[in-house]
Amino acid sequence: DPYVDDPTRHSALKVNTQRPFNAEPPPELLTESYITPNPIFFTRNHLPVPNVDPDTYRLHVAGPPGGQALCLSLDDLYQFPRHEVTVTLQCAGNRRSEMSQFKEVRGLEWSLGAISTARWAGARLCDVLAQAGHQLCETEAHVCFEGLDSDPTGTPYGASIPLARAMDPEAEVLLAYEMNGQPLPRDHGFPVRVVVPGVVGARHVKWLGKVSVEPEESFSHWQRRDYKGFSPSVDWDTVDFDSAPSIQELPVQSAITQPKEGETIEAGEVTVRGYAWSGGGRAVVRVDVSLDGGLTWQVAELEGEEQRARKAWAWRLWHLQVPLPAGKKELNIVCKAVDDSYNVQPDTVAPIWNLRGVLNNAWHRVHVHVTP
Ligand code: MTE
Ligand code: MO
């Protein structure tokens, strides 16, 4: 069993698959705090967790022609200026189960918890690339990452991001060695992972072993044959993965974590809670909440840290506390967020359904009963 060496996990996690380990925190814990505690941070593993010895760990960074290939120990990495940033990480498959309720999709049945937020610390990728002699270039280029986790054929997990993002100090791409003030937990990439603010989780390569700059995107299965969006008309017989770009920045997203679907609440007053986030550093400017399925709306109160313009890498938590009209027996609670490009969420899954069940950002809906 290649998974015997996997770490032990927190019992509050809702396990999706045990081998490889995939799990999410329950909604009520997810938005209990702005920073997700490490033990309940959602985990998305495609392969067994590698057991990396921090003393012998080396990160290989390929150099350009005439440049300098680097072979960095953890201590070497600590010599680069330390950079800290709070980043929300979301899997492209977050909320897939709502998409599969509409029509079958292939993938893990994530509820709304394949998203979490941490304070990450590490070396800036741009500093490490510069040390190896890499520069921005006019021609298309991508920074390819390889993990130390691999399948039975020895193929590692891999992904890539455009060189322009990697080299932009404002994009704050990190080679992270700390998560919420602790060394990275094994499930989250110990000892080093990539953190790409504003970009889909799949590019945040864990257990980072190798970095290189290439004229093309990573040839990894997860870059080329997965994590892409398609029209609802495309099925497994007609899908052409080369025809769609890899997912990088994610669309505006929000979900309700309280009350929960099917719950019975007391008459008088209701408190609705949830999260909202957008990709690409776009800030959440507003969250609208409806108690009547979208006929009328109220504006929720945003909590948590203020976001920086164009660098809003972390989510906003929000709440709305309102009296209930007398005689209401049930509520159809809906939320939708607006980002600072005025992007909005689609009202249903139907127009964004895709065979892989990724990129679900439809209005989130929760139906609750009210006791008289
Ligand atoms: N990196 C490696 N090496 N192996 C993986 O399976 N999964 C990716 C990404 N990085 C993965 C990886 C995916 S799809 C996601 S959503 C995030 O890690 C999840 O990060 P987390 O487990 O720390 O939440
Ligand atoms: Mo993911």
Side-chain angles (χ1 to χ4, degrees):
D1 174 4
Y3 294 95
V4 281
D5 206 23
D6 266 27
T8 52
R9 279 97 181 197
H10 198 279
S11 59
L13 288 170
K14 278 170 54 197
V15 178
N16 223 307
T17 61
Q18 199 57 248
R19 297 180 178 75
F21 189 72
N22 286 293
E24 63 187 294
E28 65 276 12
L29 289 187
L30 182 60
T31 51
E32 201 168 73
S33 55
Y34 175 69
I35 297 290
T36 316
N38 290 354
I40 62 158
F41 198 99
F42 90 96
T43 300
R44 205 297 177 231
N45 294 341
H46 292 83
L47 299 161
V49 176
N51 206 340
V52 184
D53 175 356
D55 295 327
T56 57
Y57 171 79
R58 295 293 180 275
L59 173 62
H60 298 276
V61 183
Q68 174 73 52
L70 306 177
C71 176
L72 303 171
S73 67
L74 271 181
D75 274 335
D76 294 334
L77 214 50
Y78 298 149
Q79 303 310 310
F80 288 88
R82 176 191 164 91
H83 191 72
E84 280 192 30
V85 61
T86 306
V87 174
T88 294
L89 215 143
Q90 182 181 217
C91 184
N94 191 30
R95 302 181 57 204
R96 178 181 285 125
S97 56
E98 293 162 58
M99 220 175 236
S100 66
Q101 275 162 26
F102 175 74
K103 190 178 154 191
E104 194 194 355
V105 300
R106 277 188 208 165
L108 293 167
E109 288 286 303
W110 292 112
S111 179
L112 52 76
I115 181 169
S116 297
T117 300
R119 181 89 180 155
W120 308 92
R124 277 190 169 99
L125 176 60
C126 60
D127 293 341
V128 174
L129 288 175
Q131 174 123 341
H134 290 288
Q135 293 175 341
L136 264 181
C137 53
E138 295 293 307
T139 54
E140 184 181 338
H142 302 266
V143 180
C144 299
F145 307 113
E146 273 182 28
L148 294 168
D149 50 338
S150 55
D151 71 11
T153 73
T155 307
Y157 184 86
S160 62
I161 60 169
L163 179 66
R165 181 181 292 277
M167 294 297 282
D168 180 4
E170 295 292 302
E172 300 184 274
V173 182
L174 288 191
L175 303 183
Y177 42 70
E178 253 181 53
M179 178 178 181
N180 296 329
Q182 301 288 317
L184 297 183
R186 283 188 60 208
D187 263 331
H188 301 291
F190 181 82
V192 177
R193 83 173 303 166
V194 187
V195 171
V196 196
V199 163
V200 67
R203 315 298 167 219
H204 300 228
V205 175
K206 305 192 273 191
W207 315 290
L208 186 64
K210 201 180 148 198
V211 178
S212 63
V213 179
E214 312 284 351
E216 280 195 62
E217 285 189 77
S218 166
F219 281 91
S220 157
H221 168 86
W222 295 280
Q223 188 78 19
R224 301 236 173 179
R225 292 287 172 271
D226 201 354
Y227 295 111
K228 293 187 170 190
F230 293 96
S231 159
S233 65
V234 172
D235 62 28
W236 288 102
D237 295 326
T238 57
V239 64
D240 171 13
F241 273 95
D242 292 324
S243 70
S246 62
I247 301 170
Q248 296 281 340
E249 295 181 358
L250 286 170
V252 61
Q253 174 71 290
S254 67
I256 299 158
T257 56
Q258 181 199 318
K260 287 200 274 191
E261 175 60 34
E263 203 175 301
T264 301
I265 61 169
E266 278 181 31
E269 193 179 73
V270 65
T271 302
V272 185
R273 292 186 180 283
Y275 63 76
W277 180 78
S278 190
R282 287 177 288 277
V284 172
V285 295
R286 203 181 74 231
V287 174
D288 298 327
V289 177
S290 172
L291 303 180
D292 54 14
L295 291 174
T296 62
W297 299 90
Q298 306 184 56
V299 178
E301 203 169 308
L302 299 177
E303 308 165 3
E305 288 176 23
E306 290 283 325
Q307 295 174 312
R308 295 171 298 169
R310 292 177 306 282
K311 292 168 84 166
W313 310 129
W315 64 12
R316 295 302 297 264
L317 301 183
W318 54 263
H319 72 270
L320 177 76
Q321 191 176 356
V322 279
L324 288 178
K328 273 266 179 208
K329 292 203 181 68
E330 56 179 3
L331 301 176
N332 288 305
I333 312 177
V334 185
C335 77
K336 63 181 178 80
V338 182
D339 73 19
D340 63 4
S341 298
Y342 283 103
N343 291 308
V344 295
Q345 301 179 233
D347 57 349
T348 61
V349 158
I352 54 168
W353 182 93
N354 60 89
L355 72 178
R356 202 53 183 88
V358 290
L359 302 167
N360 182 17
N361 70 333
W363 295 359
H364 187 228
R365 297 162 187 267
V366 167
H367 178 253
V368 300
H369 307 274
V370 184
T371 58

